[in-house]
Amino acid sequence: MANVVVIGAQWGDEGKGKITDLLSRSADVVVRYQGGVNAGHTIVVEDKVIKLHLIPSGILYPETVCLIGSGTVIDPKVMLNELKMLKENDIDISGLKLASSAHVTMPYHRLLDAAMEEKRGIKKIGTTGRGIGPTYADKSQRNGIRVIDLLDEERLRERLYIPLTEKNNILEKIYNENPLDKEILVKEYLEYGEALRPHVVDCTRVIHQAARNKKNILFEGAQGTLLDLDHGTYPFVTSSNPVSGGACIGAGVGPTLIDRVIGVAKAYTTRVGEGPFPTELDGSINDQLCDRGCEYGTTTGRRRRCGWFDGVIGRYAVEVNGLDCLAITKLDVLDELDEIKICVAYELDGERIDYFPSCAEAFSRCKPIFKTLPGWESSTAHCRQLKDLPPAAMAYLRFLAELMEVPIAIVSLGANRDQTIVVEDPIHGPKRALLSS
């Protein structure tokens, strides 16, 4: 039995969907523990592309129980559309469970998200506009609507009174938006509640029952470490905690239940939205990485910003998550380059530093210090074992492992499931017997 957390070790979009799908083969239970429809996973199965925003990747395995935990925020309409899409693709959804205590994104959250972002102007954060931040804000202010509230008309009306009155005042008087009709909202969301009722459970009880029965539990994070509300590039962050510690809070488990933490990082770096990005590229190499890597957001379709691998934020991700090993994705995107750069440190105001500054303004002044390695200029798409990789690709991976001081367990070389090298069992294998320096 092993209970594993999978996290993004960069700014999100690292390819966690494919890695979670791979690891879900060994999992009895998969738990999504934070975030909302601002996240997105794309999984390719036998040339079929499955895009998920809320539902855990483990749903593709019929025997796996998939839980959407209390730490998530739920847009019922989006979730029901995802369920419909899965059924249309002949995927069994009977194993999907939704935490009764998860908070619900309401229409006023989406309206406020878009209006606030527009007001910020040039200082915008780069949100997805899906209402995630305002939903978490209401949760913190104890004004939130939870899934369980959608199952009882009297309770929904009572819980909706204060936030809707407040939000309608803000929408009308500050943002010149039309107020929302309470009766329309109550009717719409009661219908969502009925449609979701068969999936609603006490998520924490289900998880702990599985633990008592010695089941393998996989905790799946959304976004990435550098978007963490407390430990990321604030204020250019999300509104929850994607780091491994967030699994304990969002799923309702103690840290002693976690056996292993696996980080996912691209062989280069991307981020979407606003905020500092020391290794960001422009020009032809940026375009090449973006085009070869299909770097467009699953949720928004926005073009991602591309840059060289940043070992400074990589080491930071190892520390704040307690990573045991790494999965490196999209190595094949680098196949055509004659040389590849890796950021090993920063220069900040004339001083060399090897740590991630907690102040966004200081981080924005950081200049990358690069180590240049030769490229391999040959395709890796066919490689299925380490020995198949070009020597220069192996040297690149070993350098990353040494730089980040953590072994590499998985190497992904394309979107399909079979385009993967598993160096060692990332769940049950010995922690230091993997690809390392």
Side-chain angles (χ1 to χ4, degrees), residues 234-255:
Y234 190 89
F236 304 101
V237 293
T238 192
S239 302
S240 58
N241 295 108
V243 295
S244 61
C248 297
I249 297 169
V253 302

Short mmCIF file of all heavy atoms in Angstrom, two decimals, residues 234-255:
data_model
loop_
_atom_site.label_atom_id
_atom_site.label_comp_id
_atom_site.label_asym_id
_atom_site.label_seq_id
_atom_site.Cartn_x
_atom_site.Cartn_y
_atom_site.Cartn_z
N TYR A 234 3.39 35.44 -5.64
CA TYR A 234 2.28 36.31 -5.24
C TYR A 234 2.55 37.75 -5.69
O TYR A 234 3.67 38.23 -5.57
CB TYR A 234 2.15 36.27 -3.71
CG TYR A 234 0.92 36.93 -3.17
CD1 TYR A 234 -0.26 36.20 -3.01
CD2 TYR A 234 0.91 38.28 -2.84
CE1 TYR A 234 -1.40 36.81 -2.52
CE2 TYR A 234 -0.23 38.89 -2.37
CZ TYR A 234 -1.38 38.16 -2.20
OH TYR A 234 -2.52 38.76 -1.73
N PRO A 235 1.56 38.47 -6.25
CA PRO A 235 0.13 38.13 -6.34
C PRO A 235 -0.28 37.36 -7.60
O PRO A 235 -1.47 37.12 -7.81
CB PRO A 235 -0.53 39.50 -6.34
CG PRO A 235 0.44 40.37 -7.10
CD PRO A 235 1.81 39.86 -6.71
N PHE A 236 0.69 36.98 -8.43
CA PHE A 236 0.37 36.27 -9.67
C PHE A 236 0.26 34.77 -9.39
O PHE A 236 1.07 33.97 -9.85
CB PHE A 236 1.43 36.57 -10.72
CG PHE A 236 1.61 38.06 -10.99
CD1 PHE A 236 2.66 38.76 -10.42
CD2 PHE A 236 0.70 38.75 -11.77
CE1 PHE A 236 2.82 40.11 -10.65
CE2 PHE A 236 0.85 40.10 -12.00
CZ PHE A 236 1.91 40.79 -11.44
N VAL A 237 -0.76 34.43 -8.62
CA VAL A 237 -0.93 33.06 -8.14
C VAL A 237 -2.40 32.66 -8.26
O VAL A 237 -3.25 33.47 -8.63
CB VAL A 237 -0.48 32.93 -6.66
CG1 VAL A 237 1.02 33.14 -6.53
CG2 VAL A 237 -1.23 33.93 -5.77
N THR A 238 -2.68 31.41 -7.92
CA THR A 238 -4.06 30.96 -7.84
C THR A 238 -4.58 31.21 -6.42
O THR A 238 -3.88 31.80 -5.59
CB THR A 238 -4.18 29.48 -8.27
OG1 THR A 238 -5.55 29.15 -8.46
CG2 THR A 238 -3.55 28.55 -7.24
N SER A 239 -5.77 30.74 -6.11
CA SER A 239 -6.40 31.06 -4.83
C SER A 239 -6.44 29.88 -3.88
O SER A 239 -7.20 29.89 -2.91
CB SER A 239 -7.83 31.57 -5.08
OG SER A 239 -7.82 32.69 -5.92
N SER A 240 -5.62 28.87 -4.15
CA SER A 240 -5.59 27.69 -3.29
C SER A 240 -4.15 27.22 -3.17
O SER A 240 -3.23 27.91 -3.59
CB SER A 240 -6.50 26.58 -3.85
OG SER A 240 -6.10 26.23 -5.17
N ASN A 241 -3.94 26.04 -2.60
CA ASN A 241 -2.60 25.52 -2.34
C ASN A 241 -2.30 24.26 -3.14
O ASN A 241 -2.59 23.15 -2.69
CB ASN A 241 -2.43 25.24 -0.84
CG ASN A 241 -2.51 26.50 0.00
OD1 ASN A 241 -3.48 26.74 0.70
ND2 ASN A 241 -1.47 27.32 -0.06
N PRO A 242 -1.69 24.42 -4.33
CA PRO A 242 -1.32 23.25 -5.14
C PRO A 242 -0.16 22.44 -4.56
O PRO A 242 0.07 21.31 -5.00
CB PRO A 242 -0.90 23.86 -6.48
CG PRO A 242 -1.45 25.25 -6.48
CD PRO A 242 -1.47 25.68 -5.06
N VAL A 243 0.60 22.99 -3.59
CA VAL A 243 1.74 22.25 -3.05
C VAL A 243 1.26 20.99 -2.34
O VAL A 243 0.08 20.84 -2.02
CB VAL A 243 2.57 23.12 -2.09
CG1 VAL A 243 3.21 24.29 -2.82
CG2 VAL A 243 1.73 23.61 -0.91
N SER A 244 2.19 20.09 -2.06
CA SER A 244 1.82 18.78 -1.51
C SER A 244 1.09 18.89 -0.18
O SER A 244 0.20 18.10 0.12
CB SER A 244 3.06 17.90 -1.35
OG SER A 244 4.00 18.49 -0.47
N GLY A 245 1.45 19.90 0.64
CA GLY A 245 0.76 20.08 1.90
C GLY A 245 -0.72 20.38 1.73
O GLY A 245 -1.53 20.10 2.62
N GLY A 246 -1.08 20.94 0.57
CA GLY A 246 -2.49 21.22 0.29
C GLY A 246 -3.33 19.97 0.22
O GLY A 246 -4.55 20.01 0.42
N ALA A 247 -2.69 18.83 -0.08
CA ALA A 247 -3.43 17.56 -0.15
C ALA A 247 -4.03 17.21 1.20
O ALA A 247 -5.14 16.67 1.29
CB ALA A 247 -2.52 16.45 -0.65
N CYS A 248 -3.28 17.47 2.26
CA CYS A 248 -3.77 17.15 3.60
C CYS A 248 -5.00 17.99 3.95
O CYS A 248 -5.99 17.47 4.47
CB CYS A 248 -2.67 17.38 4.64
SG CYS A 248 -1.23 16.31 4.41
N ILE A 249 -4.94 19.27 3.64
CA ILE A 249 -6.07 20.16 3.96
C ILE A 249 -7.25 19.90 3.03
O ILE A 249 -8.39 19.76 3.48
CB ILE A 249 -5.62 21.63 3.85
CG1 ILE A 249 -4.51 21.91 4.88
CG2 ILE A 249 -6.79 22.58 4.05
CD1 ILE A 249 -3.82 23.24 4.69
N GLY A 250 -6.97 19.84 1.73
CA GLY A 250 -8.06 19.72 0.76
C GLY A 250 -8.75 18.37 0.75
O GLY A 250 -9.89 18.26 0.31
N ALA A 251 -8.05 17.33 1.24
CA ALA A 251 -8.66 16.00 1.28
C ALA A 251 -9.08 15.60 2.68
O ALA A 251 -9.85 14.65 2.84
CB ALA A 251 -7.68 14.97 0.72
N GLY A 252 -8.54 16.30 3.68
CA GLY A 252 -8.90 15.96 5.06
C GLY A 252 -8.14 14.78 5.60
O GLY A 252 -8.72 13.90 6.25
N VAL A 253 -6.82 14.75 5.37
CA VAL A 253 -5.98 13.66 5.88
C VAL A 253 -4.78 14.27 6.60
O VAL A 253 -4.40 15.41 6.35
CB VAL A 253 -5.49 12.72 4.76
CG1 VAL A 253 -6.67 12.13 4.01
CG2 VAL A 253 -4.56 13.45 3.78
N GLY A 254 -4.18 13.50 7.48
CA GLY A 254 -2.97 13.93 8.16
C GLY A 254 -1.74 13.63 7.33
O GLY A 254 -1.77 12.75 6.48
N PRO A 255 -0.63 14.36 7.57
CA PRO A 255 0.58 14.14 6.78
C PRO A 255 1.16 12.75 6.92
O PRO A 255 1.89 12.29 6.04
CB PRO A 255 1.54 15.22 7.29
CG PRO A 255 1.00 15.64 8.62
CD PRO A 255 -0.47 15.46 8.54
#
